[in-house]
Structures are given as structure tokens and as C-alpha cells.
């Protein structure tokens, strides 16, 4: 039970951190735009979060192309408009998926 609480906290903390980053980028993050060291760290967190909910296979490296394509595929799987951008709407879907998986 303690381990599950710790995992939930880590995932939710990651989502909160990413939500803060979204606000800095004006409402969404385009993984392909202005790739730099800071963006690579953000992309890694997105990849990790997608992997935690079963929607990213591969090396967690923060690569912009890989992050973008993973987001497009995730958005497609949810019937969401496929932009490849990371937004608060994507965060909501990811948290819902995470919580569904945690209950099962």
C-alpha cells in the first residue's frame, strides 16, 4: 500500500511539474519546437509518463521526434485531436489512464 501511494505521488508530481511547464509555454508544449537542453528534460518527463501508462516503448531520451510521435499516437488512441502537442487536456487523459491502471 505504501509503495502504491509513493508511485501515485511520483506520477502525479510529474504531471503537476509538466502542467507548470505548459503554462510557461503558453498553454501547450510542442516537443519539436526549439529543442534545447531544457526541452529535452521536459520531453523525457513526457516520455516517462507515457511509458508509465503503457503508451511509450523505447528509450527514454527526450528526443523531440520520438516524443512528438508518441503524443500523436496517444492522442489517436483516445480519439483526441492529434496535434502532437502536450497540453492540460492530455494531462487529464493521462491521469485518468493512470488511475484506471492503478485500480486494476
Amino acid at each position: 500500500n505504501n509503495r502504491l501511494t509513493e508511485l501515485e505521488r511520483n506520477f502525479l508530481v510529474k504531471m503537476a511539474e509538466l502542467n507548470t511547464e505548459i503554462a510557461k509555454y503558453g498553454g501547450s508544449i510542442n516537443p519539436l519546437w526549439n529543442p534545447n537542453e531544457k526541452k529535452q528534460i521536459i520531453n523525457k518527463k513526457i516520455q516517462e509518463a507515457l511509458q508509465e501508462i503503457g503508451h511509450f516503448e523505447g528509450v527514454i531520451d527526450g528526443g523531440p521526434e520520438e516524443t512528438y510521435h508518441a503524443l500523436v499516437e496517444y492522442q489517436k488512441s483516445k480519439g483526441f485531436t492529434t496535434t502532437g502537442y502536450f497540453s492540460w487536456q492530455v494531462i487529464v487523459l493521462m491521469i485518468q489512464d493512470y488511475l484506471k491502471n492503478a485500480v486494476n
Side-chain angles (χ1 to χ4, degrees):
N1 226 2
N2 288 338
R3 179 78 176 129
L4 180 60
T5 302
E6 180 182 329
L7 290 173
E8 287 174 354
R9 186 180 60 83
N10 289 339
F11 183 84
L12 296 177
V13 166
K14 189 178 300 170
M15 293 293 96
E17 291 170 351
L18 286 168
N19 192 50
T20 299
E21 293 299 329
I22 287 170
K24 293 177 187 176
Y25 283 87
S28 66
I29 297 172
N30 177 351
L32 299 174
W33 182 78
N34 193 22
N36 56 35
E37 190 174 325
K38 181 176 174 147
K39 187 65 93 49
Q40 184 179 15
I41 292 168
I42 293 168
N43 286 342
K44 278 184 180 181
K45 287 182 182 183
I46 294 169
Q47 289 175 349
E48 289 169 353
L50 285 167
Q51 188 176 62
E52 286 184 55
I53 60 170
H55 285 275
F56 185 81
E57 294 181 12
V59 178
I60 305 285
D61 61 4
E65 293 284 334
E66 296 83 354
T67 307
Y68 174 83
H69 291 296
L71 283 167
V72 166
E73 290 304 315
Y74 181 69
Q75 290 167 335
K76 279 182 189 176
S77 77
K78 296 296 171 187
F80 195 72
T81 303
T82 55
T83 62
Y85 291 12
F86 190 73
S87 63
W88 64 267
Q89 294 96 335
V90 174
I91 287 179
V92 169
L93 292 172
M94 291 174 73
I95 290 172
Q96 288 174 347
D97 282 346
Y98 180 79
L99 294 174
K100 285 178 194 172
N101 292 338
V103 170
N104 296 330

